[in-house]
Amino acid sequence: MNSMFVPIILFAYARPDHLRRTLDCLRENHIPLIYAFSDGPRTPDKTSAVLEVREMLKSIDWCEVVLCERERNLGLGCSILTGVTEVLKKHESAIIFEDDLICVPGTYQYLCAALDNFKDDDRVMSVTGWTHPFVTPRDVTYLPYFDGRAECWVWGTWSRAWQAMDTDAKTLMEQCKDQSIDIYQYGADLVDMAKAELSQNIWAVRFLYLHILKKRLCLRPPWSMVEHIGFDSNATNASDESWLKNPPLKFAPPIPALWPEPVEHPACSRLHQKVCGTRPTVAGRLYRFAYRLASKALRASNTR
């Protein structure tokens, strides 16, 4: 695979300041082709920001751009599912960005090399430029490692691995149960997200449970090349400066001369459970039930 033919799929909405930083990083990485999906305004007050975003995308003159301007608002989940599916009908692989993600120089080349090396290895379902010290095993040095939990912040995959993404996360989770696969093995947060996927128009938990069901792997770098810049109230997928915020980014890791064998690092499941929770206890269930009741009462009082 020639890296010149690995497209970037970019999803943008109504944050031109964030998008400008993302585009700066893509330009520094010498991206040859972008499929840009611009979602329509959800409310009239977002129209001007959406139009500004579209003008920014149309003004790109440093690479080829194929722009899709959505007439209506699909929301992030539906936009990504449909957009990635559309592009992977035309290309063997792709790397996906959102408009609130930045990366260091060399990220594109690193991910392209990973996609090339593992393109015919069914054990690997995705690659990513993001990781975090809290979920990176201590003995990882300069080589990438493999994780059974996939990632949704700057990630790449192949058309072969995108199959079955028409099945919702809750169904995939139930299929895991049928095969005696622990649905909590990579964090209790996935269970709650799977239950809320369709109602909240999210998508990544579907891809994560597809990895888990098929017992496939995601390649992670030894340190993060990617950061989320949208830790604010308007973020698409991060609402506060939580543990997800990385230390300052440094240079991209060296591209391995010899890539590691696709075997999951034995510490991954434990690390994700440590950060994202384990199987809920009775006390935890009671706490969450009380929390939901209190939240419901608060919302009701605020609408009176």
Side-chain angles (χ1 to χ4, degrees), residues 4-32:
M4 293 298 290
F5 296 102
V6 180
I8 293 293
I9 311 176
L10 173 62
F11 294 93
Y13 179 43
R15 290 175 296 174
D17 290 340
H18 289 74
L19 177 61
R20 186 173 293 105
R21 293 182 62 187
T22 301
L23 291 176
D24 286 344
C25 293
L26 293 178
R27 184 176 62 252
E28 290 177 352
N29 272 268
H30 306 292
I31 305 302

Side-chain angles (χ1 to χ4, degrees), residues 123-132 135 145-158 161-162 165 185-187 189-190 193 203-213 215-221 243-244 264 268-269 272 276:
R123 294 173 293 178
V124 185
M125 187 172 277
S126 65
V127 303
T128 181
W130 189 89
T131 190
H132 191 281
V135 298
Y145 67 100
F146 290 94
D147 192 348
R149 174 165 171 156
E151 190 50 60
C152 62
W153 288 356
V154 182
W155 54 281
T157 192
W158 304 266
W162 195 247
M165 280 296 286
Q185 70 181 113
Y186 293 101
D189 61 324
L190 296 185
M193 284 193 288
W203 75 274
V205 65
R206 181 181 303 197
F207 199 41
L208 272 60
Y209 265 122
L210 189 59
H211 280 66
I212 295 169
L213 176 65
K215 299 179 181 179
R216 300 295 189 258
L217 299 172
C218 172
L219 179 139
R220 290 186 185 270
W243 72 269
L244 295 167
E264 181 176 11
C268 287
S269 177
H272 286 299
C276 302

Side-chain angles (χ1 to χ4, degrees), residues 28-42:
E28 290 177 352
N29 272 268
H30 306 292
I31 305 302
L33 172 62
I34 296 175
Y35 285 90
F37 291 87
S38 171
D39 209 2
R42 183 179 305 157

Side-chain angles (χ1 to χ4, degrees), residues 11-15 18 39 42 75-77 80 98-101 152-153 200-203 228-239:
F11 294 93
Y13 179 43
R15 290 175 296 174
H18 289 74
D39 209 2
R42 183 179 305 157
L76 183 63
I80 289 182
E98 297 170 35
D99 63 357
D100 50 12
L101 297 169
C152 62
W153 288 356
Q200 296 186 13
N201 194 9
I202 57 179
W203 75 274
H228 195 295
I229 58 173
F231 289 99
D232 54 50
S233 59
N234 296 318
T236 55
N237 48 22
S239 58

